[in-house]
Amino acid sequence: MDLQQKREAIIRNYIDAYNHFDVEGMLRDFHPAIVFENSAGGAVNMTLEGIDAFRGQAEGATQVFAEREQQVEDITFRGDTAEASIRYRGVLAVDIPGGPQRGDRIELEGRSIFRFEGDKIVRLTDVS
């Protein structure tokens, strides 16, 4: 297995763990100093540094959704970066103040950008 195939497998394992609410599986291939950034509508709305900060956010997010699924449409590789086109759907388990309510379905298209050092993810940026 070459490096690109290994990294694609790491990405697909992360997505599979995400879809199954498996936080430890999501973290398996993260560097301890992982940087996570989320942006929506062109603005960064969350930045986390370190695996413990990511774990806390990921564990909290498991309570927000009754169902969730990311589907990888395509992955492109450039050097140590991989960009995955993602289709996302989820069903809320809680009411969002001033927003969607429990049971509402959310559907988005976006991309996740993974930056690697060797076989570890050192930066993950989600863009929707």
Side-chain angles (χ1 to χ4, degrees), residues 32-53:
I34 182 74
V35 174
F36 173 76
E37 188 173 85
N38 189 79
S39 25
V44 174
N45 57 22
M46 179 189 309
T47 301
L48 302 170
E49 294 184 19
I51 203 161
D52 290 335

Side-chain angles (χ1 to χ4, degrees), residues 62-81:
T62 64
Q63 305 304 307
V64 176
F65 291 95
E67 301 172 25
R68 65 183 188 184
E69 180 183 33
Q70 291 187 32
Q71 291 182 327
V72 176
E73 300 288 312
D74 183 47
I75 302 175
T76 56
F77 292 88
R78 281 181 225 90
D80 286 331
T81 301

Side-chain angles (χ1 to χ4, degrees), residues 4 8 18 27 33 39 48-49 51 53 65 71 76 78 88 96 101-102 104 120:
Q4 182 173 315
E8 181 171 344
Y18 177 91
L27 302 175
S39 25
L48 302 170
E49 294 184 19
I51 203 161
F65 291 95
Q71 291 182 327
T76 56
R78 281 181 225 90
Y88 177 84
I96 304 297
Q101 302 297 300
R102 180 175 177 235
D104 284 354
K120 293 293 183 186

Side-chain angles (χ1 to χ4, degrees), residues 97-111:
Q101 302 297 300
R102 180 175 177 235
D104 284 354
R105 180 176 300 273
I106 295 173
E107 294 188 17
L108 303 167
E109 290 187 20
R111 55 197 166 98

